[in-house]
Amino acid sequence: MDNRPIGFFDSGLGGLTSIPPLRRRLPEEKIIYFGDTARTPYGSKAIRTIKGFSSEIADFLVQSNVKMIVIACNTVSATCVDDLRKRFPQIPILGIIEPTARMVAAECEELNRVGIIGTKVTIASHAYSDMIKEMNPSLNIVETACPAFVPLIEEGIIDNDIMDLTIKYYMDDFVKDNELDTVILGCTHYPLIKKNLERLYPDLKIINPSDIVVNRVEEILAEGDMFADGSDFRNVFYASDLSENFLNMIDHIFEEEADDAKVKFLNFDIENELLKRI
Ligand code: DGL
């Protein structure tokens, strides 16, 4: 038994899409979430910069006494997992890509045609395709970056023709030319446009890593006998910039949660606080 909280982090609000599935599956678990909203997006930054930011945040979470870290960001998972595991060997560090790659490699077959969409950095890293192909070389996998999705989502432009046109711009030919039957949402912001994708491509199976990562969290807690069994710790959600857009998006992500389960964010002065702690 281990009543310490689980640390989650993302470049911004996308990682919050893993929180409702975690709460439904493991209601006793407590959370410290860090969204680096002041420095988002990571998905088009240099890998060296992303490594620096994620190492600062992981350091903050470790100092906050979390029992495990979930990297709820595909861009960081694609580029920094090994470095973070080396730097913080004392706790399990879970990226969001590995559990999804395992699931796809196990469940998809040669006939399936799988597409991956994500940020420029995630797609250029080939982290998903390399991992899936290593486990199941017979699969047909193609990938494409959709860099305009994140800024539109952050602006709340979702249930809207502009978003639908942007999706079609990136995906119509990608889906048709590759005859895709499955697509992986390789960015934690993309579950927020899942309904658009389902409407535009009703025959496409959509795989959401924000749901799948929760299965692996449960396995790791079981393996280490680390389940919480009830503590007074109150979930804490930090953001390095509490912009109006950000606060609006929280309501969108947590719209199906009961009012008392909704999150309240604390502003975190990243320049001063994180740097002070290193
Ligand atoms: N949430 C990030 C991811 O999953 C994308 C947002 C960003 O570019 O920072 O890759």
Side-chain angles (χ1 to χ4, degrees), residues 10-15 39-45 72-77 96 118-120 122 150 154 185-190:
D10 179 41
S11 59
L13 57 85
R39 303 190 293 198
T40 199
Y42 285 9
S44 38
K45 288 196 166 59
C73 175
N74 289 268
T75 304
V76 175
S77 301
I96 196 165
T119 64
K120 281 184 186 167
T122 299
V150 168
E154 297 259 338
L185 306 182
C187 170
T188 50
H189 281 65
Y190 297 175

Side-chain angles (χ1 to χ4, degrees), residues 24-25 43 82 120 165 205 208 215-216:
R24 282 194 290 273
R25 179 81 68 84
D82 292 343
K120 281 184 186 167
L165 283 171
K205 179 177 174 192
N208 180 1
N215 303 341
R216 186 69 191 128

Side-chain angles (χ1 to χ4, degrees), residues 111-248:
L111 284 176
N112 287 121
R113 302 198 59 95
V114 181
I116 301 161
I117 52 175
T119 64
K120 281 184 186 167
V121 168
T122 299
I123 297 305
S125 76
H126 303 299
Y128 272 105
S129 52
D130 287 352
M131 221 180 274
I132 296 169
K133 278 188 188 147
E134 205 180 299
M135 291 183 269
N136 188 345
S138 70
L139 287 184
N140 285 300
I141 298 172
V142 285
E143 36 196 349
T144 195
C146 306
F149 286 175
V150 168
L152 286 177
I153 293 169
E154 297 259 338
E155 283 297 328
I157 300 173
I158 293 175
D159 303 320
N160 189 295
D161 289 348
I162 299 173
M163 179 51 94
D164 284 357
L165 283 171
T166 310
I167 293 173
K168 285 161 78 57
Y169 168 74
Y170 284 119
M171 292 192 55
D172 268 3
D173 290 348
F174 180 61
V175 171
K176 197 162 153 249
D177 295 350
N178 296 300
E179 297 173 16
L180 298 184
D181 53 55
T182 304
V183 72
I184 301 176
L185 306 182
C187 170
T188 50
H189 281 65
Y190 297 175
L192 292 164
I193 54 167
K194 188 162 174 257
K195 285 185 189 149
N196 307 52
L197 293 166
E198 285 167 344
R199 181 167 35 75
L200 293 169
Y201 309 103
D203 296 332
L204 209 53
K205 179 177 174 192
I206 297 175
I207 296 183
N208 180 1
S210 297
D211 287 336
I212 296 165
V213 74
V214 175
N215 303 341
R216 186 69 191 128
V217 171
E218 189 172 21
E219 279 171 14
I220 292 174
L221 295 180
E223 281 158 17
D225 191 18
M226 289 161 69
F227 286 115
D229 70 348
S231 83
D232 295 339
F233 184 88
R234 290 181 67 88
N235 295 332
V236 197
F237 294 84
Y238 292 106
S240 47
D241 179 57
L242 285 182
S243 66
E244 200 187 315
N245 281 356
F246 180 66
L247 294 170
N248 289 339

Side-chain angles (χ1 to χ4, degrees), residues 78-90:
T79 51
C80 307
V81 179
D82 292 343
D83 286 29
L84 291 176
R85 284 185 179 146
K86 266 189 215 129
R87 196 175 148 112
F88 305 101
Q90 63 274 44

